[in-house]
Amino acid sequence: GQLRFPAATRSLFPQEKTTLRVEVKGRVFEDVPWDPRIGEERNRSGRLRFGSDQTRALFAAGERWVVQQTDWGYLLSGPLTADS
């Protein structure tokens, strides 16, 4: 299970592979793998990997979330609704 982030949002995250601290729905996840997927041939969407079970429990396909960088890590807020 993974979340993909397009180039505009990917710029909020580190430019190298690393692990991050991420809060989603009031739950804090330590050591979430981040891969910016920046390559020589073409750039792809960056991705956070929570694991299949966590991803299914937290997110639905097609949802859009707000990403905020904080002093302790990253906060994902959402999902956004049609009127947000």
Side-chain angles (χ1 to χ4, degrees):
Q2 61 190 8
L3 296 182
R4 294 183 183 265
F5 295 88
T9 306
R10 187 180 62 203
S11 65
L12 296 172
F13 294 96
Q15 297 298 303
E16 66 281 336
K17 287 184 181 182
T18 189
T19 57
L20 303 174
R21 184 173 192 228
V22 181
E23 181 179 337
V24 182
K25 295 184 178 179
R27 295 178 58 189
V28 176
F29 298 88
E30 304 284 346
D31 301 321
V32 178
W34 164 251
D35 183 351
R37 297 180 58 177
I38 298 171
E40 293 177 18
E41 294 179 16
R42 67 179 182 165
N43 291 331
R44 296 179 164 208
S45 296
R47 61 184 177 202
L48 281 173
R49 292 183 175 223
F50 286 89
S52 296
D53 292 339
Q54 293 294 340
T55 302
R56 277 194 294 275
L58 295 169
F59 308 102
E63 287 181 335
R64 296 197 179 272
W65 290 69
V66 174
V67 178
Q68 295 174 309
Q69 186 175 13
T70 69
D71 57 345
W72 51 260
Y74 294 86
L75 173 64
L76 299 182
S77 304
L80 298 177
T81 60
D83 55 337
S84 351

